[in-house]
């Protein structure tokens, strides 16, 4: 069996003995299942291409700043702000963050790497390609682009692909692929090894409805290291039980076919392994399921609300009237709705989604905005977030769009994901009729992070970078031509990372975005249908229905849905999302005297689609 190995970052000057370790791990893995296995390994050498490229060009420096800002390289910002010159600082990270920054920023370099790998595959004709870290980015970029451009004779056709210690699924680099990762359609099988302890920006990967893909959890923890070592991945017991067993079996099948006189060409096309498809075949029809979160009682008693638990039961009843089965609706309330609890249940809701699935996420509770830090520990944006029970004004105890988008952006386009958010993010203790608004006021030390003292006006003003972001972000996304669209996606200041928008997956310009998604053969990240209680800057109020408290928006929305479902004319006049938000707005205005305008944010084609369960 021929195997092409592609290393990751840091090998040129940090570790010179990695190849023997890889050879031993591969040989041991295959021989555990086939004692006579004698794999032939060759390695792709690509470091000279990076070494020949400058690190201090504006494009590379800008890309490195974005990677640091995203948290992809924690601590590297400190190494770039010392007393040494910029060139010396960049050289210090050349074989880590510098290589990834070059790969992200330099189109010409990526083209050279694709050509290099393509030539190697054609010359060596491997049965399998194993790629670590940055090498997995190079491999995926090459194989996916090649499939789109040459569907009849793709390089990856019939070959096994193994990615490990990989950052393919990380939002900070996913934008390079147009914000979405598509399957490799012609490969024999794609294995993806993931270690949650790996500190070198690795990420789990979920592919929409793909049967020739499987992620394997390969946990290991090396004392004093970043848990990124390639040989540890290759020698892991889970890798042995899955990847090496599969490849050893394919070798045996290939020999039997050759012994029978079959004409064998490299690579031999072999049926995908059964364990990669067995869990998929259990699903034979689309499903409808929902996650409902309601937090009325927070750890801080001063943040207590009255209506969220009632809202959850109201939404559950409405969904069941629309055809959802009670067994497919999960509810988490109050002290159980911690950050970890909500994250775990969001994965249950959104992972393994298939075309035709109807998925609903509902949140009733507080919302907030927290300062988002960029390079040099400077606040350069504001992050909208949902406030869990254990919220403490840090990103670690909040539900931000970055992690939310990592789940929903990979959904199949044919699935329907609706997020209903009855909260606000402006913050405020204003009351309507004695009932609390669903937004938190930041503590003064948190608020101070986004302010600066203006000597001329003798006033506290927003930090300059926040005020300037409006011009910097305008028009970055296709379709954001009008002020209304820009406000809806990035807020009036242009510096708000809003929930459900996936702005961390955007590229700097329309042209770059279009080129990236066209090359990768997709339509961009999945866009959820968002039903929000109010506009930016407004408050979401609670409403007393007699003596029972509800969110005004949730109560109006459920009422409109139930009335439409019971309308005898529903088959001829189905309720669309656009009509639903209009009717909810009308009903909210009847009970809330303060400005509160519910809004719909979704792909343009969704606006006039019927709400599922109504027609």
């Amino acid at each position: 069996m021929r195997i092409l190995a592609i290393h990751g970052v840091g090998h040129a000057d940090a570790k010179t003995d990695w190849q023997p370790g890889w050879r031993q791990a591969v040989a041991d893995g295959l021989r555990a299942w086939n004692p006579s296995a004698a794999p032939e390994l060759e390695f792709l050498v690509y470091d000279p291409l990076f070494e020949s490229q400058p690190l201090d060009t504006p494009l590379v420096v800008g890309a490195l700043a974005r990677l640091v800002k995203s948290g992809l390289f924690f601590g590297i910002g400190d190494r770039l702000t010392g007393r040494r010159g910029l060139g010396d600082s960049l050289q210090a990270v050349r074989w880590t963050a510098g290589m990834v920054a070059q790969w992200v920023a330099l189109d010409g370099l990526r083209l050279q790497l694709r050509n290099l790998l393509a030539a190697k595959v054609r010359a060596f004709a491997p049965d399998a390609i194993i790629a670590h870290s940055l090498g997995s980015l190079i491999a995926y970029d090459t194989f996916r682009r090649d499939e789109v451009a040459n569907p009849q004779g793709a390089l990856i056709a019939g070959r096994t692909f193994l990615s490990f210690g990989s950052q393919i699924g990380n939002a900070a680099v996913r934008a390079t692929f147009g914000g979405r990762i598509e399957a490799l359609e012609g490969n024999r099988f794609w294995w993806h090894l993931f270690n949650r302890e790996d500190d070198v920006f690795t990420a789990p990967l979920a592919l929409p409805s793909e049967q020739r893909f499987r992620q394997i959890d390969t946990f290991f923890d090396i004392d004093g290291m970043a848990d990124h070592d390639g040989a540890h991945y290759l020698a892991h017991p889970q890798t042995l039980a899955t990847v090496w067993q599969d490849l050893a079996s394919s070798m045996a099948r290939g020999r039997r076919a050759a012994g029978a006189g079959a004409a064998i060409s490299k690579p031999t096309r072999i049926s995908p392994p059964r364990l990669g498809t067995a869990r998929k075949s259990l699903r034979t029809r689309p499903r409808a399921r929902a996650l409902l979160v309601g937090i009325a009682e927070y750890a801080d008693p001063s943040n207590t609300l009255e209506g969220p638990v009632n809202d959850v039961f109201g939404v559950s009843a409405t969904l069941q009237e629309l055809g959802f089965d009670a067994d497919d609706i999960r509810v988490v309330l109050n002290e159980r709705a911690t950050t970890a609890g909500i994250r775990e249940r969001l994965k249950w809701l959104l992972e393994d989604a298939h075309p035709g699935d109807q998925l609903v996420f509902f949140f009733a509770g507080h919302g907030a905005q927290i300062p988002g830090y960029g390079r040099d520990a400077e606040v350069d944006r504001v992050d909208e977030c949902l406030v869990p029970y254990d919220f403490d004004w840090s990103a670690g105890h909040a539900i931000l769009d970055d992690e939310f988008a990592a789940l929903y952006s990979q959904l199949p386009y044919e699935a329907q994901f609706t997020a209903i958010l009855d909260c606000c993010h402006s913050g405020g203790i204003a009351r309507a009729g004695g009932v609390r608004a669903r937004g938190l006021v930041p503590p003064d030390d948190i608020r101070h992070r986004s302010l600066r003292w203006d000597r001329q006006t003798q006033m506290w003003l927003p930090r300059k970078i926040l005020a300037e972001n409006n011009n910097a972000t305008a028009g970055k996304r296709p379709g954001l031509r009008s002020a209304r669209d820009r406000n809806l996606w990035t807020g009036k200041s242009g510096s708000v990372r809003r929930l459900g928008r996936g702005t961390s997956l955007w590229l700097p310009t329309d042209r770059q975005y279009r080129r990236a998604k066209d090359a990768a053969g997709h339509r961009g990240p999945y866009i959820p249908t968002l039903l929000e209680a109010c506009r930016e800057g407004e408050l979401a109020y609670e409403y007393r229905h007699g003596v029972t408290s509800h969110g005004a928006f949730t109560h109006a929305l459920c009422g409109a849905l139930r009335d439409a479902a019971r309308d005898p004319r529903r088959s001829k006049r189905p309720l669309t999302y656009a009509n639903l938000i209009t009717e909810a707005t009308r009903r909210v205005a009847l009970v809330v005297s303060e400005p509160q305008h519910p809004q719909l944010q979704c792909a343009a084609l969704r606006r006039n689609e019927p709400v599922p369960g109504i027609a």
Side-chain angles (χ1 to χ4, degrees):
M1 171 170 282
R2 294 186 174 187
I3 298 177
L4 176 61
I6 311 173
H7 71 73
V9 297
H11 286 296
D13 62 356
K15 188 174 182 180
T16 59
D17 61 345
W18 63 277
Q19 290 191 12
W22 282 36
R23 289 184 186 277
Q24 189 66 50
V26 171
D28 288 347
L30 289 173
R31 289 169 186 162
W33 301 101
N34 183 352
S36 63
E40 180 183 351
L41 259 72
E42 287 199 9
F43 297 87
L44 182 73
V45 178
Y46 62 79
D47 285 334
L49 292 179
F50 283 88
E51 193 169 7
S52 66
Q53 297 289 338
L55 278 172
D56 55 356
T57 65
L59 284 175
V60 176
V61 173
L64 184 57
R66 291 195 299 274
L67 295 176
V68 173
K69 181 189 303 183
S70 72
L72 196 62
F73 293 97
F74 179 76
I76 284 190
D78 296 335
R79 301 172 68 178
L80 298 177
T81 55
R83 295 181 178 179
R84 295 176 298 174
L86 177 62
D88 292 338
S89 298
L90 288 171
Q91 288 296 332
V93 297
R94 170 181 282 281
W95 301 115
T96 52
M99 292 180 75
V100 180
Q102 288 173 308
W103 182 85
V104 168
L106 303 176
D107 292 342
L109 174 61
R110 291 203 302 275
L111 176 60
Q112 287 181 299
L113 290 163
R114 291 195 297 270
N115 290 338
L116 179 69
L117 176 54
K120 185 69 173 180
V121 170
R122 293 189 182 99
F124 182 51
D127 301 287
I129 296 97
I130 62 175
H132 180 229
S133 188
L134 175 60
S136 68
L137 284 178
I138 296 170
Y140 177 78
D141 186 40
T142 301
F143 297 141
R144 182 58 190 170
R145 282 174 172 263
D146 176 69
E147 277 195 329
V148 173
N150 305 295
Q152 302 304 318
L155 289 168
I156 196 63
R159 296 185 164 103
T160 299
F161 179 45
L162 169 63
S163 53
F164 53 104
S166 173
Q167 58 273 65
I168 293 174
N170 196 297
V173 294
R174 199 192 302 173
T176 307
F177 303 118
R180 183 178 176 90
I181 305 300
E182 287 290 317
L184 295 172
E185 298 173 358
N187 63 272
R188 172 184 172 271
F189 204 81
W190 179 358
W191 298 97
H192 182 76
L193 307 183
F194 174 66
N195 175 22
R196 64 181 181 274
E197 291 296 313
D198 191 331
D199 295 327
V200 187
F201 53 87
T202 60
L205 185 59
L207 299 182
S209 306
E210 176 51 38
Q211 295 189 4
R212 289 197 298 263
F213 171 86
R214 187 178 179 189
Q215 177 174 290
I216 303 296
D217 290 328
T218 49
F219 173 81
F220 59 86
D221 189 359
I222 309 171
D223 291 339
M225 298 184 68
D227 305 313
H228 191 59
D229 183 68
H232 275 75
Y233 277 101
L234 296 174
H236 194 278
Q238 290 297 323
T239 311
L240 175 66
T242 54
V243 179
W244 301 130
Q245 180 185 15
D246 167 44
L247 288 176
S249 298
S250 75
M251 291 172 63
R253 289 193 295 269
R255 282 197 302 272
R256 287 196 297 270
I264 301 296
S265 60
K266 291 184 180 296
T268 304
R269 180 173 289 278
I270 303 168
S271 300
R274 291 183 179 179
L275 56 105
T277 58
R279 63 191 182 101
K280 299 286 187 178
S281 62
L282 298 177
R283 288 254 273 117
T284 58
R285 61 186 178 86
R287 68 185 171 196
R289 64 181 182 180
L291 170 62
L292 315 181
V293 180
I295 311 176
E297 300 174 2
Y298 280 89
D300 183 350
S302 65
N303 295 330
T304 298
L305 295 166
E306 296 182 0
V309 174
N310 298 329
D311 290 342
V312 164
F313 277 84
V315 171
S316 179
T318 301
L319 290 177
Q320 291 181 55
E321 288 195 29
L322 297 180
F324 281 66
D325 193 292
D327 290 338
D328 293 321
I329 299 175
R330 280 196 180 183
V331 166
V332 59
L333 304 172
N334 295 330
E335 70 277 1
R336 298 184 64 223
T338 61
T339 310
I342 296 174
R343 286 171 177 164
E344 177 186 352
R345 289 165 176 84
L346 276 171
K347 291 180 180 178
W348 165 83
L349 177 69
L350 298 177
E351 283 187 343
D352 194 30
H354 282 49
D357 286 355
Q358 299 292 336
L359 310 171
V360 174
F361 172 62
F362 171 76
F363 180 87
H366 281 301
Q369 289 185 341
I370 58 177
Y373 287 95
R375 184 181 173 184
D376 304 332
E378 291 182 358
V379 174
D380 67 350
R381 67 176 188 275
V382 177
D383 286 313
E384 284 188 350
C385 68
L386 304 180
V387 176
Y389 177 81
D390 56 345
F391 182 65
D392 63 359
W393 292 98
S394 72
H397 289 89
I399 305 298
L400 303 173
D401 185 53
D402 283 5
E403 59 181 306
F404 196 23
L407 293 170
Y408 68 70
S409 62
Q410 285 294 112
L411 290 173
Y413 293 124
E414 299 81 7
Q416 174 64 36
F417 173 45
T418 303
I420 305 169
L421 308 179
D422 197 341
C423 58
C424 53
H425 303 94
S426 300
I429 313 180
R431 297 168 182 264
V435 182
R436 194 181 187 101
R438 295 182 170 181
L440 294 183
V441 177
D444 289 337
D445 59 328
I446 302 296
R447 191 168 60 90
H448 181 268
R449 298 175 189 172
S450 302
L451 300 175
R452 64 179 176 88
W453 177 252
D454 185 74
R455 181 176 181 179
Q456 183 175 358
T457 62
Q458 293 289 291
M459 296 180 69
W460 289 100
L461 301 177
R463 291 195 178 182
K464 286 185 177 180
I465 194 164
L466 292 175
E468 292 168 353
N469 272 352
N470 187 39
N471 291 330
T473 59
K476 280 189 176 181
R477 173 79 169 178
L480 300 192
R481 307 303 182 193
S482 68
R484 177 188 177 279
D485 286 338
R486 290 195 295 272
N487 293 346
L488 186 64
W489 283 87
T490 60
K492 292 181 179 178
S493 70
S495 62
V496 181
R497 188 165 289 180
R498 308 201 65 188
L499 280 163
R501 274 67 170 181
T503 53
S504 61
L505 302 175
W506 295 3
L507 286 169
T509 67
D510 289 358
R511 183 182 179 187
Q512 288 175 295
Y513 167 74
R514 287 194 299 269
R515 288 175 58 188
K517 69 181 182 66
D518 290 347
H522 59 68
R523 304 197 300 267
Y526 181 93
I527 300 174
T529 298
L530 285 177
L531 298 168
E532 298 175 310
C534 58
R535 296 173 182 168
E536 181 193 19
E538 295 181 344
L539 300 177
Y541 291 98
E542 295 201 315
Y543 153 71
R544 285 187 180 275
H545 188 63
V547 296
T548 305
S549 291
H550 292 275
F553 170 61
T554 299
H555 190 266
L557 194 73
C558 289
L561 286 169
R562 286 175 175 172
D563 287 350
R566 296 167 183 168
D567 187 345
R569 299 169 298 175
R570 64 184 181 276
S571 61
K572 295 182 179 180
R573 298 174 55 186
L575 183 69
T576 65
Y577 284 99
N579 291 338
L580 173 62
I581 204 68
T582 298
E583 177 60 16
T585 301
R586 185 187 71 81
R587 296 187 183 210
V588 167
L590 296 176
V591 297
V592 175
S593 58
E594 303 295 329
Q596 180 178 344
H597 299 87
Q599 62 179 7
L600 168 68
Q601 188 270 329
C602 63
L605 293 176
R606 292 275 191 209
R607 294 187 63 86
N608 294 317
E609 286 185 353
V611 177
I614 298 295

